[in-house]
């Protein structure tokens, strides 16, 4: 089984332009559709290939395991929907990040995908591998926001970047997955303000 920190060989994950890029996009889109409709346990290279209208050998050449395929599909989707801002202000970066997360998880597909992954994670151990790869890379990217805040003196030296980001996004997922309370930009701003107001400078 592939390590969660290594999602395939660089050569297999290269995304050249032209037809290869379009094929890659079709495959990753098909993965997300399959996850939302049928869940991780039923997802297979054959089903993805059929939906993407490509030969299954195309998938095997690019991804060694289903976990790698799912992790890359999640990263591609989230990278487009939730870009990492760099405005020069920690508060504004966090506001834009949380607003993008809210917009992403508020869509029917976004909610369906997240609920499917959370549900399957408790029943299918392999999905945890894809999940760790996905969250590991997203936390690494979001951690850059925290590190820039430290460099500008907006956060104290030694701030734990991962824990800081956990405290930022946890209330959003709590409302989505547990309490079903409304999630909007105003609520996201409240989270940012509360987090920064209670963090030493």
């Amino acid at each position: 089984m592939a390590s969660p920190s290594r999602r395939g060989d660089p050569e297999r994950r290269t995304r050249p332009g032209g037809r290869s890029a379009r094929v890659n996009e079709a495959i990753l889109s098909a993965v997300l559709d399959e996850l939302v409709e049928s869940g991780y346990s039923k997802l297979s290279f054959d089903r993805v290939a059929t939906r993407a209208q490509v030969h299954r050998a195309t998938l095997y050449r690019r991804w060694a395991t289903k976990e790698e395929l799912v992790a890359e599909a999640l990263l591609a989707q989230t990278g487009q929907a939730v870009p990492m801002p760099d405005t020069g202000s920690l508060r504004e970066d966090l506001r834009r990040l949380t607003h993008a997360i809210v917009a992403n998880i508020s869509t029917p597909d976004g909610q369906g995908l997240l609920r499917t992954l959370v549900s399957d994670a408790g029943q299918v151990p392999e999905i945890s591998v894809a999940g760790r790869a996905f969250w590991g890379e997203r936390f690494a990217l979001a951690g850059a926001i925290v590190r820039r805040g430290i460099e500008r003196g907006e956060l104290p030296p030694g701030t734990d970047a991962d824990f800081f980001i956990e405290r930022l996004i946890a209330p959003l997922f709590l409302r989505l997955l547990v309490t079903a309370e409304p999630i909007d930009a105003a609520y996201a701003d409240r989270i940012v303000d509360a987090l920064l107001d209670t963090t030493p400078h």
Side-chain angles (χ1 to χ4, degrees):
M1 181 176 295
S3 167
S5 64
R6 182 177 180 273
R7 296 173 16 264
D9 296 331
E11 181 179 353
R12 185 167 59 245
R13 293 174 53 210
T14 298
R15 297 193 187 93
R19 182 178 181 280
S20 292
R22 291 192 296 272
V23 169
N24 207 75
E25 183 178 352
I27 292 170
L28 298 183
S29 178
V31 172
L32 298 176
D33 289 342
E34 284 289 326
L35 284 173
V36 171
E37 291 184 14
S38 304
Y40 181 87
S41 61
K42 294 184 180 179
L43 186 144
S44 68
F45 277 28
D46 285 346
R47 290 172 67 105
V48 171
T50 298
R51 184 183 285 268
Q53 298 183 333
V54 301
H55 196 281
R56 65 179 181 178
T58 302
L59 277 72
Y60 286 109
R61 284 197 299 268
R62 302 182 185 204
W63 296 277
T65 66
K66 189 167 73 169
E67 297 94 316
E68 290 181 8
L69 177 60
V70 169
E72 185 157 343
L74 292 172
L75 287 165
Q77 188 271 344
T78 309
Q80 294 175 359
V82 188
M84 293 297 166
D86 184 4
T87 65
S89 162
L90 175 64
R91 189 178 296 269
E92 184 61 21
D93 282 351
L94 296 177
R95 286 184 67 254
R96 294 192 182 190
L97 175 60
T98 53
H99 286 193
I101 293 173
V102 167
N104 186 43
I105 65 176
S106 295
T107 65
D109 282 352
Q111 288 190 18
L113 181 62
L114 183 60
R115 292 181 188 279
T116 296
L117 293 177
V118 170
S119 174
D120 281 351
Q123 303 175 26
V124 186
E126 291 84 357
I127 193 62
S128 297
V129 177
R132 285 196 299 272
F134 167 71
W135 286 113
E137 187 157 337
R138 292 305 293 177
F139 267 78
L141 292 171
I145 295 175
V146 178
R147 289 188 291 274
R148 289 194 297 267
I150 295 173
E151 292 170 358
R152 291 191 297 260
E154 297 168 293
L155 290 172
T159 296
D160 186 325
D162 284 353
F163 185 54
F164 187 92
I165 296 299
E166 286 177 3
R167 289 186 292 153
L168 177 73
I169 66 174
L172 299 175
F173 292 104
L174 175 70
R175 284 203 168 191
L176 176 66
L177 298 171
V178 180
T179 68
E181 292 292 318
I183 306 171
D184 55 20
Y187 179 65
D189 288 344
R190 286 176 58 198
I191 296 171
V192 172
D193 291 341
L195 180 58
L196 291 180
D197 291 347
T198 56
T199 299
H201 292 71

